[in-house]
Amino acid sequence: MSEEQDLESQISDLSSDAGTTDTDSITDADTESEDELFAAGFVNAYQDEPIAMPGENELRAQEVDEDGILAATLDARLEGRIPLNDWCECNQCRTDFLLNAREYRCCWEVGPAIGKLQFDGSIEHTRCVTQHQDYIDLTKRVVLEQVGPLLRDKQGRAYRRRGQQDINEFRRAVAYRWLVRWMCGYLGWDHARPLPACVYNRVRTDFSPTGQARGYSSSQDRE
């Protein structure tokens, strides 16, 4: 090999080595720079990913109802993840007759109910709204049967026992509406609200259903 060819070969080898070294150096520098930026908070993981929107179930779980209770909390009570003793303050709530999550609340969580105990001072010796004298008087059989026709359904008709309707079913239906009016005043058909668990337990015990009782339903679902 001539001296000229040998010199060209050396230059070629140097160029090849230099190119490899430069490429590796640039890659390492870029990687180090990105790591430093990430550590410094200038680069966020998944920053270019679309924001995940909460699903329907997640949105419902975050809803707060008329008594300030989260839907997720009521669901947890229904499923037994929150035991009865953790949310019942009146010692009269039972879950045996409760039919949906909206019914899982104590009278101490329902402002209008506890207000009845506070208004006349009965809270000093009465733990539960079902022990209030007005409640006892309002839920007597003869009272419910006389009050029923004074109430009106969605069509404005007198609320009467119809057809083969079980008498206790009629009494329960009247009791629910009568007690809501006693606690909250007149709400109208478009503003239904659930009663406390202790009330459902007492009403469904006193006027036990012959079949499956119907649980709380919204104003849109009521007859």
Side-chain angles (χ1 to χ4, degrees), residues 65-66 74 100-105 192-195 200 216:
D65 69 7
E66 54 273 271
L74 296 174
N100 60 58
R102 292 273 280 154
E103 298 179 352
Y104 279 71
R105 68 193 67 225
R193 63 150 300 135
L195 290 162
Y200 286 120
Y216 169 80

Side-chain angles (χ1 to χ4, degrees), residues 56-79 81-82 100-105 109:
E56 183 177 345
N57 290 338
E58 292 176 341
L59 289 174
R60 180 189 173 280
Q62 297 169 11
E63 291 178 356
V64 175
D65 69 7
E66 54 273 271
D67 295 317
I69 307 174
L70 286 170
T73 299
L74 296 174
D75 288 339
R77 294 175 181 180
L78 170 66
E79 296 164 3
R81 290 183 284 116
I82 300 179
N100 60 58
R102 292 273 280 154
E103 298 179 352
Y104 279 71
R105 68 193 67 225
E109 297 176 296

Side-chain angles (χ1 to χ4, degrees), residues 64-65 93 103 112 159 186 219:
V64 175
D65 69 7
C93 297
E103 298 179 352
Y159 201 78
Y186 178 73
S219 57

Side-chain angles (χ1 to χ4, degrees), residues 5-221:
Q5 289 175 331
D6 184 54
L7 180 60
E8 289 177 353
S9 176
Q10 292 179 19
I11 292 173
S12 176
D13 291 342
L14 287 172
S15 298
S16 176
D17 290 341
T20 303
T21 302
D22 288 345
T23 301
D24 290 345
S25 176
I26 291 172
T27 302
D28 292 342
D30 286 348
T31 302
E32 182 178 358
S33 176
E34 289 179 0
D35 290 343
E36 290 175 352
L37 287 172
F38 185 89
F42 295 112
V43 177
N44 296 320
Y46 313 113
Q47 65 180 7
D48 296 324
E49 295 292 327
I51 298 174
M53 299 302 292
E56 183 177 345
N57 290 338
E58 292 176 341
L59 289 174
R60 180 189 173 280
Q62 297 169 11
E63 291 178 356
V64 175
D65 69 7
E66 54 273 271
D67 295 317
I69 307 174
L70 286 170
T73 299
L74 296 174
D75 288 339
R77 294 175 181 180
L78 170 66
E79 296 164 3
R81 290 183 284 116
I82 300 179
L84 175 64
N85 291 340
D86 284 359
W87 55 269
C88 176
E89 295 290 338
C90 70
N91 299 323
Q92 298 300 314
C93 297
R94 302 291 183 272
T95 60
D96 298 347
F97 295 132
L98 302 185
L99 300 174
N100 60 58
R102 292 273 280 154
E103 298 179 352
Y104 279 71
R105 68 193 67 225
C106 178
C107 63
W108 280 63
E109 297 176 296
V110 178
I114 201 66
K116 288 295 182 181
L117 300 180
Q118 294 172 332
F119 180 74
D120 59 4
S122 58
I123 195 171
E124 296 181 5
H125 54 79
T126 302
R127 290 288 299 175
C128 181
V129 71
T130 62
Q131 298 168 338
H132 193 284
Q133 188 59 49
D134 287 352
Y135 174 93
I136 296 171
D137 293 338
L138 291 170
T139 55
K140 290 179 178 178
R141 284 175 169 78
V142 65
V143 172
L144 296 176
E145 291 170 12
Q146 295 301 313
V147 164
L150 302 179
L151 303 175
R152 294 289 182 269
D153 62 15
K154 276 187 175 181
Q155 287 71 41
R157 299 172 301 181
Y159 201 78
R160 298 180 183 278
R161 183 183 175 198
R162 294 184 174 86
Q164 300 300 315
Q165 183 183 29
D166 179 72
I167 184 61
N168 275 348
E169 180 183 353
F170 175 75
R171 290 167 178 160
R172 290 195 307 274
V174 173
Y176 298 148
R177 295 182 60 187
W178 195 223
L179 291 170
V180 167
R181 182 172 294 193
W182 170 59
M183 293 182 197
C184 308
Y186 178 73
L187 297 180
W189 274 98
D190 295 330
H191 299 89
R193 63 150 300 135
L195 290 162
C198 46
V199 171
Y200 286 120
N201 176 66
R202 186 74 266 155
V203 170
R204 291 167 186 169
T205 298
D206 291 342
F207 311 113
S208 57
T210 54
Q212 177 65 41
R214 291 187 296 178
Y216 169 80
S217 58
S218 66
S219 57
Q220 292 79 13
D221 297 330

